[in-house]
Amino acid sequence: MALRDNFEIGSHSIKPGTRKTVDLPVSIMSDHTPVTLSVHVVHGRRPGPTLFVSAAIHGDEIIGVEIVRRLLRTASLKSMKGTLLAVPIVNSFGFMNHSRYLPDRRDLNRSFPGSATGSLASRLAHIFMTEVVMRSDVGIDLHSAAIHRVNLPQIRVTPSKAETMELAQVFRAPLTITSKIRPGSLRDAAQKNGVDILLYEAGEGLRFDEFAVRAGVSGVLRVMRHLGMIPHKKAKKKRVETIHATTSSWTRAAAGGVLRTHKNIGERVEVGDLLGVVSDPFGEHETEILAEYSGLIMGRTNLPIVYEGDALFHVAKIRSNIDAEAKIDALAKQLEEDILLDEDEII
């Protein structure tokens, strides 16, 4: 069987059946240190789709960096079909400075598709779009909540093709929510160019979360199996399906003070349930935070010090007949068992 063509990216050429980390020049820092966009290319011997997996578009969202690291150590990649483009750190400026933003204070995920002659954020967005996104058939972009917040592992998707929603189902995050695309985001620019993206949100900025990492790695591998890139494995038991939601809302602080939380991510709440209490430092005045909607807590603040109007609990509206907590507990158990049974594949 004839070999595939080499995979071309930047000035690099990767032969079929090989893998290589390539550094795409981005900028020169003020102390003359070069900054690059590093992409690990796994170019299979046999034809198949091209998938990109990216992380740290926001430099403080490091959950995805660990997911990509574990993904690249997966034994199944040795016989992979197609091409995998793994970018563990898109925003290296923010990553090095523990910051969400670039040095020019711009949000990279509001700077797409970018420009070769624009701001630093715009130039980085342009390089990522032209060298990675436009060479791919589909993408998975890994995120976490911002610092002082935490997200339940979830897939956010706004598909332009039916196959994309199918991939969201295959990923099987605890929660799948259809969400609007924000102008200037990677999803916005990619979809306009015919590349749909699954957006994975899990955990907290600047923190690792083992459940979030395992759910992310397992989800990416399931998508790759579904795309025919890596071999399927026999399921040992019935898998837990994702919970679907189409809308969500934040419950905000009615007063400033010190927050004591009574509910956590992954818990189901009903209208009127006590989510937390905000009190002044003397304990003389207390304000109860009650659930305004029934649903599943998909995100919440971790910061006890709050101001009036701060977003505290993010609730996804789900069907009343879904036992969400039981589903999430079952998924967590399955992930633990998968890691122990398939250590050579995951770790």
Side-chain angles (χ1 to χ4, degrees), residues 321-340:
N321 62 343
I322 295 176
D323 190 346
E325 293 181 35
K327 275 180 169 281
I328 294 169
D329 288 344
L331 176 60
K333 183 178 179 181
Q334 284 187 359
L335 288 172
E336 288 183 11
E337 292 173 351
D338 284 347
I339 295 297
L340 293 174

Side-chain angles (χ1 to χ4, degrees), residues 61-73:
E61 297 180 0
I62 64 172
I63 284 282
V65 181
E66 176 63 8
I67 292 173
V68 173
R69 185 193 70 82
R70 296 191 191 187
L71 173 65
L72 291 177
R73 297 186 64 180

Side-chain angles (χ1 to χ4, degrees), residues 108 111-117 121-132:
L108 180 58
S111 303
F112 287 95
S115 166
T117 58
S122 185
R123 294 177 188 221
L124 177 54
H126 174 74
I127 292 170
F128 186 70
M129 278 293 298
T130 56
E131 295 292 351
V132 177

Side-chain angles (χ1 to χ4, degrees), residues 26-47:
V26 174
S27 180
I28 302 292
M29 297 182 70
S30 55
D31 66 350
H32 202 64
T33 301
V35 178
T36 62
L37 177 68
S38 298
V39 184
H40 189 84
V41 181
V42 184
H43 192 42
R45 288 185 180 276
R46 293 174 290 174

Side-chain angles (χ1 to χ4, degrees), residues 6 8 27-28 37 39 53 55 76 80 88 104 110 117 145 161 177 185 200 214 224 230 252 263 287 307 312 323:
N6 291 355
E8 309 292 336
S27 180
I28 302 292
L37 177 68
V39 184
V53 180
S76 299
M80 192 191 77
D104 58 6
R110 299 294 179 269
T117 58
K161 300 186 287 283
I177 184 166
S185 67
Y200 180 66
R214 291 182 181 187
M224 293 182 71
I230 59 176
R252 297 182 177 273
K263 297 289 185 180
T287 302
Y307 292 97
L312 304 182
D323 190 346

Side-chain angles (χ1 to χ4, degrees), residues 163-191:
E163 304 92 281
T164 310
M165 182 55 77
E166 187 177 0
L167 292 179
Q169 295 264 112
V170 168
F171 193 105
R172 282 208 297 271
L175 177 69
T176 296
I177 184 166
T178 51
S179 61
K180 295 179 180 179
I181 293 181
R182 296 189 178 185
S185 67
L186 173 60
R187 277 202 297 165
D188 179 40
Q191 192 176 93

